[in-house]
Amino acid sequence: IVDTPEIDVDRELRPTIGEFTLRAFVAPYRGRIASGMVLVTATALVSLAGPAIIRHGVDAGIRPHDTGALWFAAALFAAVSLANWWLVWAAGLFTGRTSRQLLFGLRMRVFAQLQRLGMDFYEREMAGRVMTRMTSDIEAFQSLFQNGIVGAGTNLLTFGGAAVVLVAMNARLAAATLVVAVPLVIVTRWFRRRSDISYSDVRDRVAAVNANFQESLSGVRVAQAYVREQHNMGQFREVARAHLAARQQANQLHAFFFPFVEFISIVAQAIAVGVGTSMVRRGELSPGSLIAFVLYLSAVFNPVQQLSQVFDTYQQARAALGKIRDLLATPVGTPVPSPPVRPGRLRGEIRLEGVQFRYPAAAEDALRGIDLEVAPGEALALVGETGSGKSTIVKLVARFYDPTGGRVLVDGMALDELDVVAYRRQLGIVPQEAFLFSGTIRANIAYGRPDASDAEVEDAARAVGAHDFIATLPMGYRQRVTERGRSLSAGQRQLVALARARLVDPAILLLDEATSNLDLATEARVTRAMRIVAEGRTTILIAHRLQTACRADRIAVIDDGHVIESGTHDALLAANGAYASLWSAHSVTTEVPTPVPGA
Ligand code: ATP
Ligand code: MG
């Protein structure tokens, strides 16, 4: 019993094909569920034996003063009690185990889907809502898996058996009594419809509470700085109150339904007694049969009441199932090509042809026809006003999104035909906001290549000029950083992110404002280091500071989703266009070092 096989994790990690249904999900574990059912049924049967043994002990042992029979009955009772104890233990252990394994499987499946989903999903969904799917929605299945499925099977069996006995005892009386099934079915259907809505509403409200909570947690510094605590409390009160209201409504349904089922069972007994008595009076039924009939009637309604509990559990899980099903059915924004082309080592030629892009929720295009070409090994700098579309270009080159129009090609291959994993392994990306994970500095640098040796990690850090600051930390490379790297300064975080990109030895390097948080001296050092790093790799670098941009091989000026100019620093100055005026504006406000010749 203890050695049940584990969950088939590989199956759970694969994308869900078609609609996710509970039946298909538990299908491979049918055997385990059936074993649970056998154990639970055995428990029920064994506990039925107790009263029969007592009756035997009293009738055959105590009344005729037969000590032997009494001892026998006592021994039998002890044996049955022991068996019962073992069965209850085994059934609890077994169904508990199975239910936790199923939960684990479900969790793996949802997590795998969350890992697959693209940026579009995460920009649309609030983190707290996603968290809810992963936590309380999945937990809603706990009691269904633990007691529900097994309980439903066992109760259906007992219900069916007792009903057959009733009909066999007296078909007419049974028919008269089971008329109550009509209102029971009608009300159950009504309950099902209403509770579907109500429980689904509860799930949404829980998600809203969590989303609000999560956001206020991550924004706590800003909230305190702007003294928004009262306001946030008010907002939270609103969502929490809406959750409370939804729960209360669900509770009203719940509170109505169970007493109703009990009431129906009493009505059935009343009918049986009423109809049965007149049948007895007419001599169509013996009094003993009537008593037995009424007793069996409760054997029919006990499982019905328990089934209504299971039904409620099922309804709650169903609401959660709907949410999880939607999540599992969410298409991945960047579909997997079939069959994907596995690129070898890339030369790093990037071409954007008439690329248009609109963010899923946006009303306007972020890119309106971009034509750009980056030769292998070339460093292209993108400059332009804030919101002009520079980061968007980089996101498309990394295939975080697919363009809504035009094509992105790498080495002449369309990006959406490449195996995205093999492609991204050759990318080094430093996003606009460097993100560090909780763990050591070393683990953060080696994030893209966890097998890298200490020497390689240190080399990468030296190459981008991060070694100096790391060496001054008390624990050096073993220094732990807190969540999101908050224990480091913004500039230090960027240096670590640069080292991380460097370490994967990428064919293409995408640097979004990678030096914007550094002081001028460090920036100069890093830029020099980056030139070495960028050697032989195609680099797209976004820079607000023109001193950084002017060192690139070529510069493209982006304005409102268009490339309005491109060329070398000197050519653009000579052309006296947008770049030249940016440059002169820049020169007035900052001390501009003369660009490195030939850069
Ligand atoms: P910055 O220099 O400030 O980083 P940028 O040139 O990188 O600006 P992008 O981030 O590419 O600008 O944004 C281009 C446009 O797309 C902007 O108008 C912006 O509002 C819009 N945009 C960016 N991200 C999203 C998003 N996730 N959803 C909707 N619109 C977006
Ligand atoms: Mg940007």
Side-chain angles (χ1 to χ4, degrees):
I1 284 206
V2 177
D3 257 337
T4 48
E6 286 299 324
I7 278 287
D8 178 2
V9 176
D10 286 341
R11 177 183 90 116
E12 306 309 340
L13 295 186
R14 281 195 292 274
T16 310
I17 297 155
E19 194 173 77
F20 174 73
T21 61
L22 208 52
R23 183 189 301 218
F25 175 69
V26 301
Y29 312 108
R30 242 184 272 126
R32 259 174 266 180
I33 291 168
S35 316
M37 243 184 256
V38 168
L39 283 173
V40 173
T41 313
T43 314
L45 289 180
V46 166
S47 56
L48 281 183
I53 297 171
I54 292 175
R55 200 190 62 198
H56 176 80
V58 172
D59 288 351
I62 296 181
R63 285 206 351 231
H65 297 285
D66 183 341
T67 341
L70 189 60
W71 273 114
F72 175 72
L76 198 62
F77 193 83
V80 165
S81 300
L82 278 176
N84 192 38
W85 174 38
W86 185 83
L87 277 169
V88 171
W89 170 77
L93 195 68
F94 190 82
T95 56
R97 239 183 113 76
T98 309
S99 83
R100 274 184 290 277
Q101 285 172 336
L102 287 171
L103 282 188
F104 169 77
L106 193 58
R107 214 165 251 141
M108 292 310 287
R109 181 177 285 247
V110 172
F111 186 78
Q113 169 74 353
L114 288 174
Q115 292 283 301
R116 266 190 298 272
L117 285 172
M119 294 298 144
D120 52 330
F121 174 79
Y122 290 101
E123 270 161 19
R124 206 169 53 228
E125 283 290 340
M126 294 186 76
R129 214 174 273 281
V130 180
M131 289 288 282
T132 311
R133 299 288 102 92
M134 201 53 195
T135 52
S136 71
D137 283 350
I138 286 182
E139 269 143 32
F141 285 90
Q142 162 107 39
S143 52
L144 182 68
F145 287 156
Q146 170 111 35
N147 307 315
I149 297 178
V150 166
T154 322
N155 282 316
L156 277 176
L157 277 177
T158 22
F159 169 75
V164 166
V165 170
L166 276 192
V167 174
M169 279 178 73
N170 191 316
R172 266 178 57 207
L173 193 54
T177 318
L178 295 180
V179 169
V180 297
V182 176
L184 185 63
V185 167
I186 293 175
V187 169
T188 304
R189 289 176 68 114
W190 171 85
F191 173 73
R192 180 189 168 101
R193 211 171 43 242
R194 289 292 305 271
S195 64
D196 260 354
I197 303 170
S198 187
Y199 286 144
S200 170
D201 194 31
V202 170
R203 308 280 7 128
D204 283 340
R205 304 288 178 191
V206 178
V209 168
N210 287 346
N212 181 297
F213 176 54
Q214 201 277 340
E215 190 172 25
S216 70
L217 260 194
S218 50
V220 67
R221 294 170 193 210
V222 183
Q224 294 194 348
Y226 285 89
V227 216
R228 290 269 292 200
E229 291 94 332
Q230 284 301 329
H231 188 268
N232 286 357
M233 228 118 67
Q235 271 188 346
F236 188 76
R237 193 168 50 222
E238 287 306 304
V239 287
R241 185 167 284 159
H243 174 222
L244 174 69
R247 281 229 84 116
Q248 299 286 35
Q249 214 198 346
N251 188 51
Q252 277 179 11
L253 281 175
H254 185 97
F256 168 79
F257 186 61
F258 296 115
F260 178 80
V261 173
E262 196 173 335
F263 171 70
I264 284 289
S265 84
I266 293 171
V267 169
Q269 293 192 2
I271 293 176
V273 171
V275 176
T277 317
S278 67
M279 284 170 85
V280 169
R281 209 176 295 138
R282 286 199 300 273
E284 293 163 2
L285 193 71
S286 75
S289 304
L290 177 59
I291 293 173
F293 190 90
V294 172
L295 287 180
Y296 269 113
L297 202 56
S298 63
V300 171
F301 274 97
N302 259 341
V304 169
Q305 276 183 21
Q306 287 181 18
L307 274 176
S308 67
Q309 295 277 0
V310 172
F311 183 60
D312 184 58
T313 312
Y314 171 72
Q315 284 296 91
Q316 301 207 24
R318 217 165 92 95
L321 178 70
K323 310 291 165 201
I324 290 178
R325 177 180 293 151
D326 291 347
L327 176 63
L328 290 175
T330 306
V332 178
T334 48
V336 183
S338 63
V341 177
R342 286 189 73 87
R345 178 71 187 176
L346 294 169
R347 289 179 299 122
E349 183 207 39
I350 302 170
R351 208 158 71 229
L352 278 73
E353 293 179 352
V355 166
Q356 295 181 339
F357 182 71
R358 176 178 301 195
Y359 283 98
E364 269 191 66
D365 285 354
L367 302 180
R368 313 162 189 264
I370 298 269
D371 290 293
L372 259 183
E373 214 166 307
V374 195
E378 189 185 27
L380 173 77
L382 301 179
V383 300
E385 284 176 14
T386 188
S388 56
K390 305 178 297 293
S391 297
T392 309
I393 293 177
V394 162
K395 288 186 210 164
L396 291 189
V397 171
R399 205 179 173 217
F400 288 143
Y401 297 94
D402 281 336
T404 37
R407 299 200 299 168
V408 183
L409 302 145
V410 172
D411 284 8
M413 296 175 283
L415 210 50
D416 53 8
E417 282 164 19
L418 290 187
D419 181 299
V420 74
V421 174
Y423 172 62
R424 290 214 184 117
R425 280 200 198 290
Q426 305 194 40
L427 283 187
I429 308 178
V430 179
Q432 198 156 6
E433 285 124 41
F435 189 100
L436 301 194
F437 294 86
S438 51
T440 60
I441 300 251
R442 184 199 183 288
N444 268 293
I445 295 179
Y447 191 71
R449 256 187 65 201
D451 57 320
S453 69
D454 285 354
E456 287 173 309
V457 169
E458 194 179 318
D459 275 351
R462 278 186 195 282
V464 300
H467 178 77
D468 293 346
F469 102 80
I470 298 172
T472 64
L473 295 172
M475 303 282 289
Y477 285 86
R478 308 263 159 217
Q479 178 86 19
R480 299 192 70 82
V481 298
T482 54
E483 195 185 319
R484 285 164 181 269
R486 275 194 281 250
S487 52
L488 297 182
S489 78
Q492 291 168 335
R493 277 202 292 275
Q494 266 183 344
L495 289 175
V496 172
L498 279 169
R500 177 191 289 165
R502 163 78 186 96
L503 185 68
V504 293
D505 185 24
I508 296 172
L509 204 52
L510 303 173
L511 309 174
D512 194 348
E513 307 274 14
T515 54
S516 63
N517 286 324
L518 306 179
D519 64 276
L520 285 174
T522 312
E523 184 193 345
R525 239 183 312 129
V526 171
T527 316
R528 224 169 300 130
M530 285 313 293
R531 287 186 58 76
I532 304 165
V533 173
E535 199 87 42
R537 308 168 208 283
T538 309
T539 308
I540 297 183
L541 125 117
I542 299 177
H544 266 146
R545 283 197 214 140
L546 293 186
Q547 300 98 302
T548 315
C550 71
R551 292 191 176 94
D553 299 322
R554 210 150 49 84
I555 299 159
V557 184
I558 313 295
D559 182 50
D560 195 19
H562 298 279
V563 180
I564 52 169
E565 265 185 338
S566 84
T568 61
H569 173 75
D570 295 332
L572 288 179
L573 279 190
N576 209 13
Y579 181 77
S581 54
L582 275 178
W583 183 259
S584 57
H586 215 75
S587 315
V588 179
T589 50
T590 42
E591 287 285 299
V592 182
T594 32
V596 182

